[in-house]
Amino acid sequence: MIIQNALLVELHPPRIRKGLDVRIEGTEIREIGKNLKIAGEQVIDASGKILMPGLVCSHHHYYSALSRGIMAEIGPTPDFISTLRELWWKLDRALELEDVRISSEIASLEAIKAGCTTVIDHHASPSCIEGSLDAVREGYRNAGLRGASCYEVSERNGTEGEEAGIEENRRMAELLDEEKAQGSWDGLYETMIGGHAPFTISNHALERLGDLVEGSGRGFHVHVAEDRYDVSYSHGVHGKDILVRLDEHGLMNENTIIAHGLYLGSEDIRIMNDRDSFLVSNTRSNMNNSVGYNVHLPELKNWALGTDGIGADMLEELKFAYFKHRDAGGSWFPPAFMEALWKGNIIAERIFGKSFGKIEEGYQADLVILDYPAPTLLAEENLAGHLAFGMNSQAVETVLIAGKPVYEQRKFKESKSALYKEAEAKASEIWKRMDGLKVQ
Ligand SMILES: [Zn+2]
């Protein structure tokens, strides 16, 4: 395939090249140049359009896709824990396997429409743990999206639930390793080892998760210090900083994702940086849960952007990340946030062992064509300004993942209206089931 005559835009370091053709072979970018010779290949004319590496959402919760506009009996939520108990822990408990598959496919399709080519998911469905990661994977696969999920292990579902969560992570890691050994792996779906949050994971489970992280060669994906409660709990019950506790169990490595981290201490931050782990910041979610703002971002070596389940529109998330930073008195300008968004590609590289985020020979052909007629000069020096103040996901026209068009001229290959109808019906059933639940 050849994408012709595009304006090539890369986010980090910002680079813009005009009027170039890009040849794709298999899953990779093979050649870049002017007027490339066509050898009987499919041609996409991108004249007047931007061609950009696909965006990465580095922390998502697909299981919440059917909670949009939720109408269920939600009790008072004066603080973070009440919000978890009244909303999220009822929602995930109400999910059945079919709901998991549908919400995964809906969330994947919406991510693609917003220009995402990789999404890192974090899954929970305590009433149907075994097989849930297969259901998540099916949603990714049906949409043609790249990504990784994990099961969020938690003691809140009792020892049995905690154990089942560990096993689900192990099962998926072993299944993927087997597929890789047999040469049948699709190259698009991976897994991490998941935990909900340190305040809901026992030391025994942390030990087992540490063994699994080491044995499987994967990273740990967990919420940390989203609210002060997690920090106080760790100090009060375990007598140590949160990441000291995780590090003692071998859970901090270069493949590890720490979501949120608003209230990390200086020792936590030292561990993050020493272990080369990633923090993923989710500004809209933090605002929605009234948990505060992460003032530690400037101290971190690696950080990227996620949505924590509020869709996967990363151009919108970037705007919130930037405006909230300014609102909180921060001194950074849009380039810092454009770099953080781009750094999701480093997470993808660590997970998939391939090259992402640039339009270069040998890089994965995860690409987006955008129709963005800039009303002012669009240059490397002000690209981040265009992202913060102008460009949005409505510009996304065509999306390629691993060299395959999964969304063309704002259309998926088949109509998704039946899936959306099914989703609407399933959502109403989930909301009804939530009403009968009491979560401690
Ligand atoms: Zn989250």
Side-chain angles (χ1 to χ4, degrees):
M1 177 188 297
I2 290 190
I3 300 171
Q4 276 183 330
N5 199 26
L7 181 70
L8 271 47
V9 170
E10 294 169 348
L11 301 187
H12 184 76
R15 178 157 73 147
I16 297 181
R17 290 168 287 169
K18 284 182 188 157
L20 291 179
D21 298 350
V22 174
R23 172 171 282 125
I24 295 163
E25 274 177 24
T27 68
E28 290 182 8
I29 295 166
R30 183 60 54 220
E31 195 181 1
I32 297 146
K34 270 203 187 307
N35 305 315
L36 294 182
K37 239 191 179 165
I38 304 164
E41 302 147 292
Q42 184 189 343
V43 174
I44 295 177
D45 179 16
S47 301
K49 310 282 167 69
I50 286 174
L51 180 68
M52 193 167 88
L55 303 170
V56 180
C57 173
S58 300
H59 180 73
H60 199 323
H61 296 287
Y62 271 11
Y63 70 79
S64 69
L66 302 185
S67 71
R68 193 181 305 170
I70 194 163
M71 294 192 292
E73 289 162 18
I74 311 290
T77 54
D79 54 27
F80 176 64
I81 299 301
S82 314
T83 305
L84 292 178
R85 284 197 174 136
E86 286 297 324
L87 177 56
W88 303 115
W89 291 355
K90 282 185 182 174
L91 174 77
D92 64 15
R93 195 173 290 265
L95 295 172
E96 296 174 353
L97 268 188
E98 187 58 8
D99 306 325
V100 173
R101 183 192 64 75
I102 292 173
S103 59
S104 174
E105 187 168 348
I106 293 276
S108 295
L109 292 170
E110 302 215 327
I112 290 169
K113 274 165 85 168
C116 261
T117 50
T118 298
V119 174
I120 312 301
D121 179 52
H122 195 252
H123 176 69
S125 54
S127 303
C128 52
I129 297 175
E130 193 183 347
S132 62
L133 292 182
D134 296 310
V136 171
R137 185 186 194 186
E138 205 180 324
Y140 272 92
R141 191 190 284 140
N142 291 347
L145 182 67
R146 188 192 296 276
S149 189
C150 62
Y151 192 87
E152 54 168 76
V153 169
S154 172
E155 204 182 15
R156 70 185 163 92
N157 310 305
T159 317
E160 219 173 274
E162 199 172 49
E163 188 62 33
I166 295 169
E167 279 313 306
E168 184 62 2
N169 282 304
R170 180 198 308 282
R171 191 184 64 77
M172 183 49 76
E174 287 177 356
L175 175 72
L176 292 167
D177 287 345
E178 209 178 293
E179 288 181 7
K180 286 179 187 180
Q182 290 173 352
S184 61
W185 182 50
D186 62 10
L188 288 176
Y189 184 81
E190 248 296 349
T191 199
M192 298 186 71
I193 307 303
H196 167 247
F199 72 91
T200 74
I201 311 176
S202 69
N203 278 336
H204 173 68
L206 282 185
E207 197 177 319
R208 304 220 22 228
L209 286 164
D211 292 345
L212 193 48
V213 160
E214 196 191 343
S216 71
R218 268 114 178 151
F220 191 43
H221 187 178
V222 65
H223 298 116
V224 169
E226 181 174 358
D227 182 81
R228 285 193 179 88
Y229 181 86
D230 199 11
V231 180
S232 300
Y233 187 91
S234 189
H235 288 160
V237 174
H238 301 288
K240 47 188 87 161
D241 290 333
I242 299 180
L243 295 190
V244 169
R245 185 171 166 238
L246 296 191
D247 195 43
E248 282 175 0
H249 289 97
L251 291 159
M252 298 299 296
N253 65 36
E254 70 278 8
N255 296 317
T256 288
I257 292 177
I258 298 296
H260 304 296
L262 272 69
Y263 299 100
L264 294 177
S266 53
E267 183 62 6
D268 293 317
I269 289 167
R270 185 193 65 74
I271 292 169
M272 285 286 305
N273 293 340
D274 278 3
R275 299 286 180 260
D276 204 19
S277 303
F278 256 89
L279 183 131
V280 175
S281 183
N282 310 270
T283 310
R284 282 185 298 176
S285 164
N286 296 158
M287 293 168 78
N288 184 43
N289 288 330
S290 304
V291 289
Y293 179 65
N294 193 338
V295 296
H296 300 297
L297 297 178
E299 301 163 54
L300 291 158
K301 183 178 165 200
N302 304 318
W303 69 280
L305 301 182
T307 61
D308 204 26
I310 309 181
D313 187 336
M314 300 314 293
L315 292 173
E316 186 168 83
E317 191 66 41
L318 174 139
K319 291 173 180 61
F320 274 85
Y322 168 64
F323 291 125
K324 180 65 203 178
H325 176 80
R326 298 294 291 166
D327 183 54
S331 61
W332 279 344
F333 285 105
F337 299 89
M338 186 166 75
E339 181 180 345
L341 175 57
W342 178 84
K343 277 198 171 163
N345 288 292
I346 305 289
I347 293 177
E349 289 192 351
R350 291 178 179 186
I351 290 175
F352 288 96
K354 293 172 179 161
S355 302
F356 295 92
K358 288 188 193 298
I359 304 179
E360 290 285 356
E361 191 188 333
Y363 274 71
Q364 285 297 293
D366 288 16
L367 299 164
V368 182
I369 298 173
L370 301 111
D371 183 15
Y372 174 69
T376 57
L377 176 73
L378 177 68
E380 290 166 356
E381 296 84 345
N382 72 357
L383 178 60
H386 280 270
L387 263 65
F389 296 103
M391 189 187 290
N392 61 44
S393 60
Q394 286 174 20
V396 174
E397 212 176 69
T398 293
V399 178
L400 287 88
I401 297 173
K404 273 197 195 136
V406 293
Y407 184 67
E408 269 185 286
Q409 297 294 326
R410 302 179 195 274
K411 279 199 175 69
F412 292 105
K413 283 202 176 71
E414 306 152 355
S415 161
K416 300 294 173 190
S417 54
L419 176 74
Y420 272 73
K421 263 213 173 86
E422 206 184 345
E424 188 184 329
K426 287 283 181 200
S428 299
E429 287 170 24
I430 295 166
W431 300 351
K432 247 184 231 146
R433 282 199 294 274
M434 286 174 69
D435 288 344
L437 291 175
K438 179 127 188 74
V439 176
Q440 287 306 313

